[in-house]
Amino acid sequence: MQNTDSDIARAGEILRGGGLVAIPTETVYGLAANALDGTAVAKIFRAKGRPQDNPLIVHISHLNQWERLVSEIPENAAALAKAFWPGPLTIILPKSDIIPDEVSAGLDTVAVRFPSMRTTRKIIDAAGVPLAAPSANLSGSPSPTCARHTMEDMRGRIDAVLDGGECNFGVESTVVTLAGPVPRLLRPGAVTPDELREVLGGLEIDDAVMGKLKEGVKAASPGMKYKHYSPKAEITIVRGTLVDFLKYIGKAGDCGEPNGKKFALCFDGEESVIPVNCVTYGKKDDPLTQSHRLFTALRELDERGAERVFARCPSTDGVGMAVYNRLLRAAGFSVVNANETEE
Ligand code: AMP
Ligand code: MG
């Protein structure tokens, strides 16, 4: 369906009736169900093939809907909401009794977001209930950033997809937990650590954000422990300059990979000097263009039959941290410094 008022009203009816609708947001497409109905929420896990221990984010359309979802709203949470809501920030707090176990996956906390995209808020209003909505991809594949990608993954598994065009930001929300002793970043997104620190004072960055969790360490954000966002190809992130990159892929070419299946995931404009197939993911010094393109680029690699991919490494500053975090998972944590051996 499109995003006319009557389509939005119909989506609201389906959601109220316990169905599943994929919806656009400013981050990625979400797979939505009534967050207060455990049976409806359980269908999300089945449609996505999502591990049962991975909790969902609850989406609201007015600030006053937050209060009944959590046990209380501390001052620092209210300050974050004032600074960044509506927008791509998810805040975790101890949950209230109305949150079904299916949403929190057995944890005693709940993640809440107030999205900025008008269509998303209209759909929540039309449903008349808060919506649990993880990204609308099959578990493990790149998050969808347009209706076509959503259909590719969800056809035959859900009741409807509402087409609201391309997602503006393109990677998932920043997730911060205020349920522990110190505010902690669990997932980087469009709202950066520096912006959060300005409001919160202190902020810890969870170990899972920039690297792989060590064996046996419990993930603070269950979603971060899974291999994620992965196309079929084997990806390696290559740290270094463009010149280092060219040298590195030249050498890697000698290892016998057939050139037709070998790809570079590079920045705009670099295609002309890279002697293998290229898929671009934004401008080198502009992380917002990278976040907008990344998941589409990962899907494009699959569509073009890529088997081996060497990726240019983004800067990890600001919004770049979100881009690097997703690319790192897509690469199964395979990173090399050009001129050195694989880690
Ligand atoms: P997605 O819905 O695909 O954007 O994934 C939601 C992310 O938020 C996953 O990484 C979850 O593990 C994380 N998350 C949701 N609720 C909680 C919670 N209560 N505590 C910790 N992490 C959460
Ligand atoms: Mg997801």
Side-chain angles (χ1 to χ4, degrees), residues 25-28 116-117 145 165-171 288 291-293:
T25 81
E26 72 273 23
T27 57
V28 301
S116 62
M117 188 179 184
T145 53
E166 265 187 33
C167 298
N168 181 21
F169 185 56
V171 306
L288 282 171
S291 67
H292 183 76
R293 270 284 301 165

Side-chain angles (χ1 to χ4, degrees), residues 27-31 48 50 53-59 90-93 95 103-105 107-113 132-137 143 172-173 175-177 179 186-187 219-226 228-229 326:
T27 57
V28 301
Y29 272 69
L31 180 55
K48 278 179 62 79
R50 185 173 175 103
D53 68 347
N54 195 2
L56 307 180
I57 296 171
V58 178
H59 295 72
T90 296
I91 303 174
I92 297 176
L93 287 171
K95 74 184 183 100
V103 169
S104 51
L107 300 176
D108 51 13
T109 53
V110 65
V112 178
R113 183 161 99 79
S135 49
N137 51 293
S143 301
E172 305 85 343
S173 59
V175 177
V176 65
T177 179
L186 300 185
R187 180 173 75 184
S221 173
M224 285 283 118
K225 73 182 176 212
Y226 296 108
H228 229 107
Y229 318 118
R326 305 313 188 274

Side-chain angles (χ1 to χ4, degrees), residues 40-75:
V41 170
K43 294 182 194 164
I44 292 179
F45 286 83
R46 286 200 291 278
K48 278 179 62 79
R50 185 173 175 103
Q52 298 289 336
D53 68 347
N54 195 2
L56 307 180
I57 296 171
V58 178
H59 295 72
I60 57 176
S61 53
H62 297 275
L63 198 55
N64 61 14
Q65 295 162 358
W66 193 18
E67 219 173 293
R68 58 194 283 258
L69 305 176
V70 294
S71 65
E72 65 167 322
I73 298 174
E75 248 175 54

Side-chain angles (χ1 to χ4, degrees), residues 127-318:
V129 286
L131 298 178
S135 49
N137 51 293
L138 288 173
S139 210
S141 73
S143 301
T145 53
C146 63
R148 180 172 71 84
H149 294 164
T150 308
M151 290 290 284
E152 278 167 13
D153 278 20
M154 289 299 145
R155 195 186 299 278
R157 295 172 171 262
I158 64 174
D159 298 298
V161 176
L162 196 139
D163 188 347
E166 265 187 33
C167 298
N168 181 21
F169 185 56
V171 306
E172 305 85 343
S173 59
T174 302
V175 177
V176 65
T177 179
L178 301 177
V182 182
R184 176 179 281 258
L185 180 76
L186 300 185
R187 180 173 75 184
V191 177
T192 65
D194 283 350
E195 287 173 324
L196 293 170
R197 281 197 185 99
E198 248 176 59
V199 176
L200 291 170
L203 177 76
E204 288 179 353
I205 311 271
D206 198 79
D207 286 346
V209 167
M210 295 298 282
K212 190 177 181 176
L213 273 183
K214 298 200 174 60
E215 286 292 317
V217 175
K218 190 166 174 278
S221 173
M224 285 283 118
K225 73 182 176 212
Y226 296 108
K227 186 169 180 195
H228 229 107
Y229 318 118
S230 317
K232 295 180 188 81
E234 185 190 340
I235 302 183
T236 298
I237 302 173
V238 182
R239 283 208 187 106
T241 63
L242 178 58
V243 173
D244 294 336
F245 181 85
L246 289 170
K247 267 194 227 150
Y248 186 85
I249 64 166
K251 272 193 235 153
D254 298 336
C255 303
E257 283 120 10
N259 258 349
K261 307 288 167 108
K262 184 166 139 184
F263 278 69
L265 179 61
C266 64
F267 300 120
D268 298 352
E270 294 178 345
E271 315 87 292
S272 56
V273 295
I274 297 179
V276 297
N277 302 304
C278 289
V279 170
T280 59
Y281 78 106
K283 297 198 180 86
K284 179 168 174 288
D285 297 314
D286 185 351
L288 282 171
T289 62
Q290 296 164 14
S291 67
H292 183 76
R293 270 284 301 165
L294 180 66
F295 287 142
T296 301
L298 293 177
R299 281 180 185 255
E300 218 171 293
L301 287 167
D302 271 351
E303 282 161 19
R304 293 178 60 186
E307 286 178 3
R308 188 75 180 96
V309 177
F310 297 96
R312 294 273 283 128
C313 187
S315 156
T316 55
D317 293 341

